[in-house]
Amino acid sequence: MNGNRTYGVRVESAKYGVGFGSALAIAISYANNHSILWAIIHGILGWLYVIYVALFG
């Protein structure tokens, strides 16, 4: 097998995972706080905020 192909798939999946985490964090933040500023900040944090809400929210 070609090692480069496997590496390319891993990079693509990581890229989509970060995008989905940010979108999910923005949606959760806006639903909880009704603030665009907090939604932007939580979108930057991404999965960290999603995990925080899951554990403590």
Side-chain angles (χ1 to χ4, degrees):
M1 288 193 83
N2 188 354
N4 292 335
R5 182 177 296 172
T6 304
Y7 177 75
V9 170
R10 288 182 183 167
V11 170
E12 288 296 317
S13 64
K15 182 173 72 172
Y16 290 125
V18 170
F20 180 73
S22 294
L24 185 60
I26 290 169
I28 292 170
S29 176
Y30 190 77
N32 288 339
N33 301 318
H34 301 290
S35 170
I36 293 174
L37 178 62
W38 279 115
I40 292 170
I41 292 170
H42 293 145
I44 292 170
L45 295 174
W47 283 111
L48 294 175
Y49 181 70
V50 172
I51 292 169
Y52 171 79
V53 171
L55 292 176
F56 303 110

